[in-house]
Amino acid sequence: MNARDTNVPVARVAAIDWAQASGDLDEQGNAVIPGLLTRAECEMLAAMYVLDAPFRSRVVMERHGFGRGEYKYFAYPLPDLIAGLREAMYPHLAPIANRWNEVMGIDVRFPPRHADFIARCHAAAQTKPTPLLLQYRAEDYNCLHQDLYGEHVFPLQLVILLSEPGRDFMGGEFVMTEQRPRMQSRPMVLPLRQGDAAVIAVHHRPVQGTRGVYRVNLRHGVSRVLSGHRHTTGIIFHDAA
């Protein structure tokens, strides 16, 4: 299967229970979407990691203090499956992002079409594509972080697990932390299977408190892989400077 020949699962994106996803994002800053990709689609994307042509750069995490493991950023033009998911998911997420910004008192609003938001990024010299493919082996992990990349940041992103826990790897749980004002951080573990996706907050989300709405800060990462190989794709909706 070739990434350029893959039919984008637009119908699957439309069939997501977006009311449930929106509620989960409001409640905990993440929403798990089971079975967004098929096993064949996952294996096709994971197999691309050994190639050079689809990518613009490779990052070895240990060299930068990011953890252990590595990842590659896709180049433009993105593989059809990645580009299609980016375009299909965005219109469902933009209303959530706009609502969050409104209640948090942030003036930025996001257009309904992803192409228009990317044009905004490119006008600000954020022209490097940010969707990426990550590879982990035994003892690898990803430190808690946020994928910001520049002035223009879309506040939600998509993570898809391409490998099957218990078959392809052990350990390597996807984790998030929520840092609440004047409180200890709250940990969250997202139990993903192969093909499952998680929509997550990139930076912060609004929380209703007794004195009004306040912001909580979120980070995400991957715990230590105990054995095997783990592949993930991340779809960030803003480009990088």
Side-chain angles (χ1 to χ4, degrees), residues 16-169:
I16 293 169
D17 185 342
W18 285 106
Q20 178 67 51
S22 178
D24 289 346
L25 285 163
D26 287 346
E27 181 67 24
Q28 57 202 23
N30 64 72
V32 174
I33 302 169
L36 182 61
L37 296 186
T38 66
R39 178 173 177 174
E41 289 165 340
C42 290
E43 292 176 350
M44 177 273 296
L45 287 173
M48 294 178 68
Y49 197 85
V50 299
L51 306 176
D52 293 327
F55 303 102
R56 64 174 177 86
S57 66
R58 171 175 170 263
V59 176
V60 178
M61 294 189 214
E62 196 167 11
R63 295 176 185 170
H64 306 277
F66 297 163
R68 283 186 54 175
E70 58 183 59
Y71 54 89
K72 293 181 177 180
Y73 287 105
F74 286 105
Y76 280 131
L78 299 173
D80 286 350
L81 184 57
I82 298 297
L85 282 170
R86 210 183 191 202
E87 294 168 7
M89 295 289 294
Y90 176 89
H92 298 279
L93 299 176
I96 301 171
N98 284 332
R99 177 167 53 78
W100 279 14
N101 276 8
E102 181 177 3
V103 298
M104 288 189 293
I106 300 172
D107 292 336
V108 174
R109 297 294 181 270
F110 301 96
R113 294 176 62 249
H114 185 249
D116 294 332
F117 176 61
I118 286 295
R120 181 189 298 177
C121 291
H122 289 190
Q126 291 180 217
T127 58
K128 297 176 182 177
T130 49
L132 70 165
L133 192 60
L134 302 98
Q135 176 177 267
Y136 303 86
R137 294 185 172 93
E139 302 302 323
D140 290 348
Y141 61 94
N142 196 345
C143 295
L144 293 168
H145 65 281
Q146 298 170 326
D147 297 308
L148 300 177
Y149 296 114
E151 174 189 358
H152 296 281
V153 174
F154 190 74
L156 298 162
Q157 68 188 68
L158 185 70
V159 177
I160 307 173
L161 183 59
L162 304 178
S163 307
E164 178 62 21
R167 184 191 69 203
D168 301 324
F169 69 96

Side-chain angles (χ1 to χ4, degrees), residues 30-36 158-166 169 171-176 189-200 221-222 230-233:
N30 64 72
V32 174
I33 302 169
L36 182 61
L158 185 70
V159 177
I160 307 173
L161 183 59
L162 304 178
S163 307
E164 178 62 21
F169 69 96
E173 294 88 356
F174 185 85
V175 298
M176 296 183 69
V189 177
L190 279 59
L192 303 177
R193 311 295 300 186
Q194 184 179 48
D196 290 352
V199 180
I200 65 172
V222 173
R230 182 189 191 277
H231 287 91
T232 309
T233 189

Side-chain angles (χ1 to χ4, degrees), residues 146 148 153 155-156 200-205 216-219:
Q146 298 170 326
L148 300 177
V153 174
L156 298 162
I200 65 172
V202 172
H203 185 196
H204 47 230
R205 72 177 180 93
V216 296
N217 200 45
L218 293 108
R219 298 180 184 274

